[in-house]
Amino acid sequence: MSENPNKQYDILIAGAGFAGSITALILNNLGFKVCLIEKGQHPRFAIGESSTPVADLILRDLATKYNLPWLYDFSRYGSWQQSHPEIVCGIKRGFSYYKHYPGKAFATDENHKNELLVAASSDDIQSDTNWLRADFDAFLVNKVKDYGINYFDQTEIIKAERNADWEFQIDHFNESTNIHASFFIDATGSGKLLNKILGIESSSEEFLTNSVSIFSHFNQVPKWLEMLQKENIPTDDYPYNPDNSALHQILDEGWIWMLRFKDDRLSFGFVLDDTNTFYENLPTDKIWNDLLEKYPSVNCILKDSKLATVPGKILRSERLQRKMKQCFGAGWVALPHTVGFVDPLFSSGIAHSLSGIEKVICCIRKNWGNEALLEKDFKAYENAVFGELKITDNLVAGCYKTMPYFDLFNAWSMLYFAATIAHEQRRIKLEPPGYFLNADDQEICTMVETSYTDLLKLIENKQPTEEDIKWFTGLIKERIQPYNIAGLLEPSSKNMYLHTVAKI
Ligand SMILES: Cc1cc2nc3c(=O)[nH]c(=O)nc-3n(C[C@H](O)[C@H](O)[C@H](O)COP(=O)(O)OP(=O)(O)OC[C@H]3O[C@@H](n4cnc5c(N)ncnc54)[C@H](O)[C@@H]3O)c2cc1C
């Protein structure tokens, strides 16, 4: 891009992930003069690939409300394939979980005691998707350019100063220049930029969850369903093919995500409980190889695979949990993934980002030109994002505690499905969406918090007995009853749930 970015804009957005690009496209359609900058260059590898029914509901809403009709097609696998088969994605029919025990090949029984499959759609056409982010994010940035929005890659903010307006000193292709804008949106997906330019700190202190991730993309990974069938594991009553889902292998110390794309690429990552900072000082290769050795069926999954050309190596995260001290300030706001993150279990990131975009756009549209009102609404946005991170943390932390005991994990995870069903129902009924995961619903928050306390009592310093687990499962079943339109925890379902997004 040879054009000089040195101009006056209404809004500067930093970070051209899907969130930054969609925000730029919406604001442009609302008549704002927008500039989007990206420190890297598309196409680029990115993680965070598995969408959900809530993400898709919001995508459809944003597409309709802000006149981006082509965006609508990406909210279902069928319409995505019809409109843009060249942009790689995968079918995601639901959430699947398989429990592995150290030293043993995966085994289960006809009641699926070590499996849990929760369908989120009725067929492949209506299905959610796994987004190949390199493709999808590059497509969105091209749309940004098509709409005539000023887009500058390989561009970073060095310094920012706000008087009447913002003056950003930026490094653009290794040359220093200035951008002037009335407002700034941080969509960079981490707190680092705001820390650098405004001194806004992030911390992990408040989180119950403590996890790290090691991941990459692979080719030539056998299909999990075929592996199960080879072992004569009954799969006839599965609600969908687990390879077409967010497939999770549950270990004692964490879990694995397996997200398949239609070109047979597989996103594979370990997410490990690091409460005792066990992994902090271990080399990545050692962690990876030790886990493969410990779990024979996981080793079988990867043994003949090849690292995909991109990223071409195994990547490692720092501790995943982080939260900025504030979401907004005078003349700026940050999108949810910049504000904070908990853990990819339950694939809540994309939906959280989209629900943040929805709120931020509303605030700006309603209050542009009135800083006091804008900040009042951003305060409400901040409360929402912080509340959403808190409930996600509670739900995910309980999962890590229960991973060694699959029946308990199964019961605990139903709290997430109850919260998400409640939220989907609000949206399907066209009620005001409130907070993501209904984190503004006091009954849901209390249900999750009380259950967490009960769980800790149950497993503190001891292995839960079968009786303990039965009692806890009954307790959760009773607590989720007001939201349970999907027959969750009904013994007759044998851990196979046909469809949690109920139609009304
Ligand atoms: C290990 C892991 C697994 C995940 N799995 C899932 C999942 O399965 N499903 C799900 O829903 N969510 C998942 N997430 C969350 C998901 O990654 C995020 O919700 C999503 O990427 C947010 O998108 P974004 O556009 O806000 O940010 P990003 O995707 O992080 O994009 C930010 C962009 O900003 C650019 N940038 C960074 N710094 C600067 C700067 N200083 N100046 C300019 N540009 C900058 C980056 O290059 C990047 O292009 C996962 C997260 C992690 C860590």
Side-chain angles (χ1 to χ4, degrees):
M1 172 74 54
S2 55
E3 196 186 343
N4 189 332
N6 187 350
K7 280 188 189 154
Q8 173 74 41
Y9 298 95
D10 293 325
I11 299 174
L12 174 73
I13 302 172
F18 74 85
S21 291
I22 291 176
T23 306
L25 286 157
I26 293 173
L27 289 169
N28 175 68
N29 274 6
L30 289 173
F32 292 96
K33 191 163 170 43
V34 180
C35 178
L36 176 65
I37 61 168
E38 161 64 44
K39 83 168 177 190
Q41 202 178 18
H42 285 281
R44 56 95 177 91
F45 176 82
I47 208 72
E49 299 152 322
S50 148
S51 82
T52 57
V54 169
D56 292 338
L57 283 165
I58 304 175
L59 212 54
R60 286 196 280 279
D61 265 10
L62 294 175
T64 308
K65 208 184 236 168
Y66 300 111
N67 192 23
L68 297 167
W70 49 268
L71 187 62
Y72 198 99
D73 293 339
F74 294 100
S75 68
R76 292 189 178 104
Y77 182 75
S79 48
W80 184 319
Q81 289 318 298
Q82 265 183 358
S83 63
H84 285 290
E86 78 288 0
I87 301 171
V88 173
C89 73
I91 303 178
K92 183 193 162 188
R93 289 289 311 279
F95 287 94
S96 317
Y97 306 87
Y98 292 83
K99 173 64 188 166
H100 296 250
Y101 292 93
K104 295 191 178 134
F106 174 75
T108 186
D109 65 9
E110 64 284 356
N111 287 323
H112 304 293
K113 72 173 172 150
N114 285 323
E115 300 145 277
L116 168 63
L117 271 70
V118 187
S121 51
S122 51
D123 57 41
D124 291 357
I125 304 287
Q126 305 301 325
S127 167
D128 305 322
T129 45
N130 297 323
W131 302 357
L132 186 71
R133 291 285 305 278
D135 275 20
F136 188 53
D137 291 9
F139 169 83
L140 287 173
V141 147
N142 282 331
K143 279 283 180 197
V144 164
K145 293 190 250 178
D146 290 349
Y147 275 67
I149 299 166
N150 284 286
Y151 171 69
F152 303 99
D153 60 8
Q154 298 177 72
T155 300
E156 265 192 89
I157 299 174
I158 307 299
K159 239 167 73 183
E161 208 178 286
R162 185 167 187 255
N163 296 307
D165 268 345
W166 284 106
E167 181 176 79
F168 296 97
Q169 186 194 332
I170 61 161
D171 183 272
H172 173 55
F173 278 90
N174 297 325
E175 272 182 34
S176 179
T177 183
N178 289 332
I179 290 184
H180 295 261
S182 306
F183 195 77
F184 173 59
I185 299 179
D186 190 328
T188 57
S190 94
K192 289 181 188 151
L193 176 63
L194 279 168
N195 187 263
K196 181 173 91 174
I197 60 173
L198 297 178
I200 311 292
E201 287 175 8
S202 286
S203 122
S204 307
E205 273 163 25
E206 285 172 28
F207 291 93
L208 301 167
T209 311
N210 187 337
S211 59
V212 292
S213 180
I214 307 176
F215 55 90
S216 195
H217 278 183
F218 292 85
N219 290 317
Q220 298 173 27
V221 182
K223 301 268 169 58
W224 178 242
L225 183 64
E226 286 166 19
M227 289 178 68
L228 295 175
Q229 286 168 343
K230 234 190 236 166
E231 298 303 318
N232 293 321
I233 288 174
T235 59
D236 291 349
D237 55 349
Y238 275 11
Y240 53 78
N241 175 347
D243 290 292
N244 293 338
S245 73
L247 176 48
H248 304 74
Q249 312 291 352
I250 305 295
L251 316 175
D252 282 0
E253 56 278 85
W255 59 283
I256 295 166
W257 80 72
M258 292 173 59
L259 304 174
R260 205 170 271 274
F261 300 99
K262 67 172 195 168
D263 64 358
D264 241 19
R265 222 181 302 212
L266 183 91
S267 178
F268 180 105
F270 289 100
V271 193
L272 302 166
D273 184 358
D274 207 18
T275 313
N276 301 320
T277 59
F278 176 71
Y279 299 104
E280 206 171 81
N281 298 315
L282 287 181
T284 308
D285 280 4
K286 178 161 173 52
I287 303 174
W288 190 275
N289 293 331
D290 284 359
L291 287 166
L292 294 186
E293 204 173 303
K294 187 168 173 183
Y295 295 99
S297 297
V298 176
N299 190 41
C300 279
I301 295 172
L302 280 193
K303 72 179 174 19
D304 297 321
S305 69
K306 301 258 175 307
L307 273 171
T309 327
V310 181
K313 58 184 175 190
I314 291 171
L315 302 170
R316 179 175 185 166
S317 75
E318 299 170 340
R319 182 175 176 187
L320 292 169
Q321 298 69 43
R322 55 180 173 80
K323 187 181 123 186
M324 283 185 352
K325 297 266 185 276
Q326 57 190 93
C327 289
F328 73 99
W332 67 270
V333 69
L335 294 186
H337 196 57
T338 300
V339 175
F341 185 63
V342 181
D343 187 281
L345 194 69
F346 300 129
S347 311
S348 53
I350 294 177
H352 197 207
S353 285
L354 292 170
S355 84
I357 294 174
E358 200 176 39
K359 289 187 176 71
V360 164
I361 297 286
C362 267
C363 296
I364 293 177
R365 192 180 188 188
K366 200 168 115 205
N367 303 309
W368 186 251
N370 186 332
E371 193 147 317
L373 286 180
L374 198 56
E375 288 191 14
K376 185 170 159 269
D377 276 7
F378 280 149
K379 185 67 200 164
Y381 163 72
E382 181 175 86
N383 291 340
V385 176
F386 286 171
E388 291 156 355
L389 288 171
K390 184 161 186 283
I391 195 169
T392 308
D393 182 36
N394 246 303
L395 288 165
V396 171
C399 283
Y400 280 100
K401 298 256 178 249
T402 56
M403 279 179 194
Y405 323 104
F406 191 62
D407 287 341
L408 210 52
F409 173 87
N410 191 335
W412 175 266
S413 60
M414 293 307 158
L415 292 168
Y416 162 78
F417 289 109
T420 205
I421 287 171
H423 190 62
E424 284 159 6
Q425 286 300 301
R426 267 189 188 169
R427 288 186 175 272
I428 291 169
K429 290 178 185 161
L430 304 178
E431 291 168 9
Y435 294 8
F436 176 54
L437 286 175
N438 276 24
D440 54 338
D441 180 334
Q442 204 43 56
E443 279 176 23
I444 289 203
C445 292
T446 307
M447 170 178 82
V448 174
E449 278 164 27
T450 314
S451 301
Y452 190 72
T453 310
D454 293 333
L455 176 69
L456 292 188
K457 275 192 225 144
L458 198 72
I459 57 175
E460 217 161 39
N461 304 321
K462 65 175 169 81
Q463 289 233 350
T465 62
E466 258 181 51
E467 272 311 297
D468 289 340
I469 294 176
K470 217 166 136 192
W471 169 80
F472 191 76
T473 305
L475 190 73
I476 298 292
K477 190 173 173 205
E478 203 180 294
R479 287 185 179 157
I480 63 170
Q481 193 264 330
Y483 319 100
N484 190 359
I485 53 176
L488 301 172
L489 294 177
E490 276 313 325
S492 60
S493 68
K494 298 183 181 175
N495 296 341
M496 300 286 124
Y497 299 102
L498 279 177
H499 195 192
T500 55
V501 188
K503 293 180 190 74
I504 54 162

